[in-house]
Amino acid sequence: MGILAQLIGNVLRDKRTDEISATAAASILEPIMQNGLEHSTTTRELPVSQQPEVDYVRVRFAGDSGDGIQMTGTRLAESAARFGNDIATFPDFPADIRAPSGTIYGVSAYSLNIGHTEVDTFGDETDALVALNPAALRKYLEGVKQNGLLIIDMDAFTERAITKTGFSTNPLEDGSLSSFRVLPLEITSNTEKALKETGLSAKDARRSKNMWTLGLVLWLFERSTADVEHWIEQKFHKKPDVAKANIMALQAGHLYGEVTDLPPDVSRYRIQPAPLMEGEYRSINGNEGMAYGLYAGATLADLELFYGSYPITPASPLLHTVAKLKELGAISFQAEDEIAAICAAIGASYAGHLGVTGSSGPGIALKTEAIGLAIMTELPLVIVNVQRGGPSTGLPTKTEQSDLFQAIWGRNGDAPLPVIAPAHPGECFDMGVEAAKLATKHMTPLMVLTDGYIANASAPWKLPDFSDPAYAPFPVKKATDPEGFLPYDHDPDTMARPWAVPGTADLMHRIGGLEKQAGSGNISYDGENHQLMTQIRAQKLEAIAKSIPPQHVESGEATGKLALLGWGSSWGPIRVAARRAELEGKSVSHIHLRHLWPLPPNLEELLSGFDRVIIPEMNNGQLATVLRSQMDVPVESVSCVKGRPFLVREIAKIIEDALGASS
């Protein structure tokens, strides 16, 4: 186990995985911190009396999808996390590969909340908006708080660009921005001047304007450019001219803030390190955390990870991350389509690996018949659904909790499978381990529901301590003894059938999608046998329910006037709004589900202790419908299907309406 922990630490801490031999990699567990960060501080656990999300600054970068906005925001997030701040991010970009330049539909944005106290959301209002063109200003101006700072590239405000965006006049000249602190800068021109000596063309020089902007913002936060410079050198080590240009632009933007007399109302932000639990940290997003967690879970089960996938937004980075673990023994397979991807994963599970496949809602729909095959064959298979907005193609780059019905009920026949969901990016690693454990313990396919927000958002994440009993190995025992072997004989406690890997002597058996005879696994068309096997598939979930820990209250009392019940990425805004209401003396509790199917056995009893139970979710009331079908507790649903997470003020309004301002 010590070697396992060593490797995870290496990958998590910027060590190159290709320096590790394949022999050593086969027995090691730690690929989690590549391109990560480290810092050591005190404690993250805040006393209840301390209000979350105070002493923080919310920044949003916005510009054309080709302006490097996501890179810029990610670098600032990494810098803040390395400094020791708590952070929460929200990348927001168009679905088009290259949307029309200068249009609102082509705007890419990255929101970042940098705090001294616990930060759980990207923030309702923006303190500082960096707008690199008129479209970015028009799209996100409404979200800037009064007297907020607007950093604007005035070079981009040409008459044509202003007209294309829909402004009737130039907002920099017509007084419409008088309620904000406006800092109009010649960002493009200054970038070209800074790179003039490099010999780059003006067009090539302009590509570095995001780095010039980042340099200025780093100066505003009293941060050096050293970490970003190091990243640029690594990122573009094969293109030294590009690296040099970006570093020069970064330094020029930082120097501009240092030597230029900015308006007196443009003050710098001083955010002290957050009280994080002592240990080593990295910034991680949900897709990375899930990939690493699944690899760790497979290794703890003494299995090799096989990930079969077809590229789809926003799940594709799962495939990218697993592919980087090749030297550690993980196998990644980019299939020609969604059906081939899951069938390959099922084949890998049949061959004795931990088969995993991932997609988003449309891809999960295509995988449905094969999911039924995995249920019929009772093989361990993890299906990751990174949810996005709407049916069909819908809103590919926008987030939504749209697939709960699909996960629980979206198959033909009585074909149940367990469904779990992390609450935020920092939980994805543990839920990946949990998925591997449940799938192998009960010999069942399992679905993990994340979403576009969890998948793309970043947060500080403490490296796991593999001496913790929570990460104790759970090696899988595969069938080897032919005496008394029955491929569809079920363990009475777990309802798992024996896992007989092909090639094991004298354990030949039938496999496939046709109904099996109990015990022997022979094909059976007998009605009584089908009744029995249907019951066995249901009993598998009943066995899983017994192993689910009791549902607890996230914050607040175990009984009271109001419980806000959530799942998935609604965690952050519910947590912040509920704790603020609690500090105001209101009877509000927050309950958050990680096990969605089967439900925690004590959930009905817990919810019955509240006068009202309200479920805020990013769909049209799917969890509320599920709960109404399973328990005799009245629940109310509040929906947000706007392609973004709930805002804290929206949850606060739910509380106020439910309890009244004076309660």
Side-chain angles (χ1 to χ4, degrees), residues 448-592:
V448 183
L449 293 178
T450 69
D451 60 44
Y453 178 46
I454 290 178
N456 294 319
S458 298
W461 175 64
K462 187 175 182 291
L463 274 70
D465 178 4
F466 282 90
S467 65
D468 189 319
Y471 300 110
F474 45 92
V476 171
K477 293 182 179 180
K478 295 171 182 173
T480 57
D481 187 0
E483 185 175 350
F485 170 71
L486 289 173
Y488 279 82
D489 189 19
H490 292 84
D491 181 281
D493 294 325
T494 64
M495 297 306 294
R497 75 172 184 89
W499 194 355
V501 176
T504 306
D506 300 320
L507 297 188
M508 184 183 297
H509 60 283
R510 289 180 174 85
I511 200 81
L514 290 173
E515 183 64 280
K516 305 296 181 290
Q517 184 182 62
S520 72
N522 294 334
I523 296 170
S524 174
Y525 294 101
D526 179 72
E528 294 298 326
N529 180 77
H530 179 59
Q531 178 85 35
L532 174 60
M533 292 303 290
T534 299
Q535 291 170 352
I536 287 173
R537 287 188 281 272
Q539 289 167 4
K540 199 177 287 265
L541 258 70
E542 294 172 6
I544 293 172
K546 294 176 183 177
S547 66
I548 294 175
Q551 182 63 45
H552 65 277
V553 174
E554 200 95 358
S555 65
E557 302 297 327
T559 61
K561 293 183 178 180
L562 174 63
L564 295 177
L565 176 63
W567 68 278
S569 62
S570 61
W571 178 83
I574 295 177
R575 176 176 173 83
V576 174
R579 291 186 66 179
R580 288 178 178 174
E582 187 183 353
L583 291 173
E584 295 171 0
K586 296 181 178 181
S587 178
V588 180
S589 298
H590 174 199
I591 301 170
H592 216 79

Side-chain angles (χ1 to χ4, degrees), residues 261-315:
D261 289 330
L262 298 177
D265 60 352
V266 178
S267 56
R268 301 175 78 179
Y269 301 107
R270 180 167 295 176
I271 305 295
Q272 296 300 320
L276 298 170
M277 199 182 317
E278 186 173 350
E280 291 181 282
Y281 287 77
R282 68 155 291 171
S283 174
I284 199 167
N285 65 44
N287 274 332
E288 291 173 328
M290 183 59 61
Y292 295 142
L294 290 167
Y295 175 85
T299 308
L300 289 169
D302 196 21
L303 300 172
E304 291 184 335
L305 176 68
F306 177 94
Y307 186 78
S309 180
Y310 178 76
I312 185 172
T313 302

Side-chain angles (χ1 to χ4, degrees), residues 42-83:
T42 52
T43 176
R44 177 179 169 82
E45 295 300 321
L46 300 179
V48 174
S49 59
Q50 185 172 352
Q51 181 172 317
E53 298 204 356
V54 295
D55 192 12
Y56 58 91
V57 176
R58 299 149 301 188
V59 183
R60 175 174 279 152
F61 295 93
D64 265 334
S65 57
D67 284 341
I69 296 298
Q70 302 303 316
M71 180 186 295
T72 306
T74 301
R75 291 305 100 209
L76 180 60
E78 286 285 345
S79 176
R82 284 185 182 274
F83 182 76

Side-chain angles (χ1 to χ4, degrees), residues 348-375:
S349 291
Y350 177 52
H353 291 59
L354 176 63
V356 181
T357 189
S359 189
S360 189
I364 299 297
L366 291 168
K367 296 178 190 288
T368 298
E369 183 180 3
I371 294 173
L373 173 63
I375 293 171

Side-chain angles (χ1 to χ4, degrees), residues 64 98-107 133-139 156-171:
D64 265 334
R98 188 66 176 92
S101 176
T103 64
I104 291 179
Y105 292 108
V107 172
N133 64 12
L137 178 66
R138 184 172 181 85
K139 183 171 182 178
F157 279 68
T158 63
E159 183 176 350
R160 183 180 177 211
I162 292 170
T163 302
K164 183 188 294 187
T165 304
F167 285 118
S168 56
T169 57
N170 188 339

